[in-house]
Amino acid sequence: MNQFSIKHFSQLVYQKCGLNYLNNLVALENKIMKRIHELQLNSLWEYCRYLEELPAEWDRAVEILTINETYFYREENQLVELKNVVLPLIKQNGGKVRIWSAACSTGEEPYTLAMMIKETGLFRPDEFEIVATDINKRVIGVAKNGFYNKASLSFRRIPDELLKKYFVKDPTGYTVTNEIKEQVQFKYLNLLDESSMKEMLHFDVIFCRNVLIYFDQETIKKVTTNFFHSLKKDGYLFLGHSENISTFNLGYKTINTPSTFYYKKE
């Protein structure tokens, strides 16, 4: 496999889903070679031809190239800020809340948000909605099913009382209860697909954590600009702790607290 061919493939990946492997070609090659061998192909060039002839193969490529590590109650400081500050403000101003969990992976984040909102008692079930999206169709299937193996790291931060309250236990793992599942709508979405992004509107809060670190600056600006248009006036954007867009001047106000930071649409 020559360097030109892997660079060409990295550009295809970038165009398809925004993942930037241009400076990490070795990792890209290592990840995709196993799939090439599974298909009994002889080269990356043949795999590119295969993708042209069978575009559905991109779903499998995306599964291989995206990182889906997540767990319940991840980055709890942001969740505490949402619970104690943001949700009461939204309740005071409108009475209902609509949240988008972008790049939701296997569902731990949106289900966490549903459990947390339920626990606040601020909103009835018909007063809050969570839309959860991902580019990886396999993980969306896992999320919809709502089952997590008991040995999974997904449960490393969840309080025991919530595990007992909002999950059904069986010998192999835990399944999210229907009352929580019903609050979350899962669907496929590519954050770089402009036509699909235009349909994502009227959100009070967007969570897109630990995703932008895999994008270059141009793609980060594009995605977060689209988030700006997806948010209602005075809506909130939560990113990962290592993802800072305050220098981009996109129209967000940075809110700093002693334990975290996030953004508000001005």
Side-chain angles (χ1 to χ4, degrees):
M1 184 180 295
N2 60 57
Q3 200 66 16
F4 171 80
S5 64
I6 190 64
K7 185 174 182 179
H8 172 69
F9 183 64
S10 72
Q11 292 166 342
L12 291 178
V13 169
Y14 176 76
Q15 293 166 8
K16 184 69 177 179
C17 55
L19 296 175
N20 185 10
Y21 278 94
L22 297 174
N23 297 318
N24 201 1
L25 298 179
V26 173
L28 176 62
E29 180 178 345
N30 290 338
K31 288 184 176 185
I32 209 65
M33 278 304 297
K34 182 177 179 181
R35 179 58 176 165
I36 290 172
H37 292 152
E38 285 177 356
L39 294 170
Q40 298 182 332
L41 300 175
N42 296 315
S43 68
L44 184 60
W45 180 81
E46 287 190 12
Y47 186 62
C48 290
R49 290 286 304 274
Y50 188 84
L51 286 166
E52 288 181 8
E53 295 169 4
L54 286 170
E57 172 63 19
W58 272 111
D59 292 341
R60 184 71 182 100
V62 166
E63 289 178 18
I64 295 166
L65 299 177
T66 52
I67 298 171
N68 295 297
E69 189 214 356
T70 185
Y71 49 89
F72 294 101
Y73 280 80
R74 187 177 188 179
E75 296 185 9
E76 190 172 0
N77 289 338
Q78 291 186 333
L79 300 175
V80 170
E81 186 72 12
L82 179 73
K83 179 179 71 173
N84 294 340
V85 177
V86 173
L87 289 178
L89 283 173
I90 293 172
K91 179 65 176 180
Q92 177 182 328
N93 293 331
K96 294 185 178 182
V97 62
R98 193 163 185 255
I99 299 179
W100 177 10
S101 171
C104 67
S105 187
T106 45
E108 287 89 336
E109 178 178 89
Y111 285 139
T112 294
L113 295 171
M115 288 185 284
M116 195 186 67
I117 293 171
K118 191 89 171 172
E119 285 294 296
T120 67
L122 289 172
F123 303 90
R124 301 191 309 266
D126 64 330
E127 292 179 331
F128 75 93
E129 176 190 11
I130 298 168
V131 179
T133 67
D134 203 279
I135 193 173
N136 186 329
K137 293 179 180 178
R138 184 192 65 82
V139 297
I140 292 174
V142 174
K144 286 181 177 179
N145 191 40
F147 172 81
Y148 302 90
N149 191 289
K150 71 170 18 173
S152 168
L153 293 176
S154 296
F155 300 107
R156 56 187 164 180
R157 290 290 180 87
I158 190 170
D160 287 341
E161 63 269 21
L162 298 185
L163 186 60
K164 294 176 182 177
K165 187 173 182 179
Y166 294 117
F167 292 82
V168 177
K169 183 180 180 180
D170 69 30
T172 58
Y174 299 85
T175 302
V176 180
T177 59
N178 287 335
E179 70 170 323
I180 296 301
K181 280 185 180 182
E182 289 168 359
Q183 301 299 142
V184 184
Q185 173 192 351
F186 290 99
K187 64 180 186 178
Y188 166 84
L189 180 75
N190 183 339
L191 294 175
L192 300 188
D193 184 342
E194 290 293 332
S195 61
S196 296
M197 288 294 288
K198 287 177 181 177
E199 298 175 3
M200 303 298 290
L201 298 171
H202 310 305
F203 290 97
D204 299 283
V205 183
I206 297 175
F207 276 80
C208 185
R209 301 188 291 179
N210 306 305
V211 177
L212 302 186
I213 54 175
Y214 302 107
F215 296 159
D216 62 10
Q217 295 295 295
E218 181 182 349
T219 307
I220 291 171
K221 287 182 180 180
K222 178 179 179 180
V223 170
T224 51
T225 297
N226 284 336
F227 285 158
F228 187 87
H229 296 306
S230 295
L231 285 167
K232 296 178 183 176
K233 180 185 175 185
D234 297 324
Y236 299 89
L237 174 64
F238 287 85
L239 303 176
H241 287 147
S242 62
E243 300 167 325
N244 191 319
I245 59 169
S246 58
T247 61
F248 288 165
N249 298 316
L250 300 176
Y252 293 101
K253 174 185 176 182
T254 305
I255 300 177
N256 290 289
T257 76
S259 60
T260 190
F261 67 91
Y262 55 105
Y263 302 93
K264 184 176 181 179
K265 177 177 179 176
E266 292 192 304

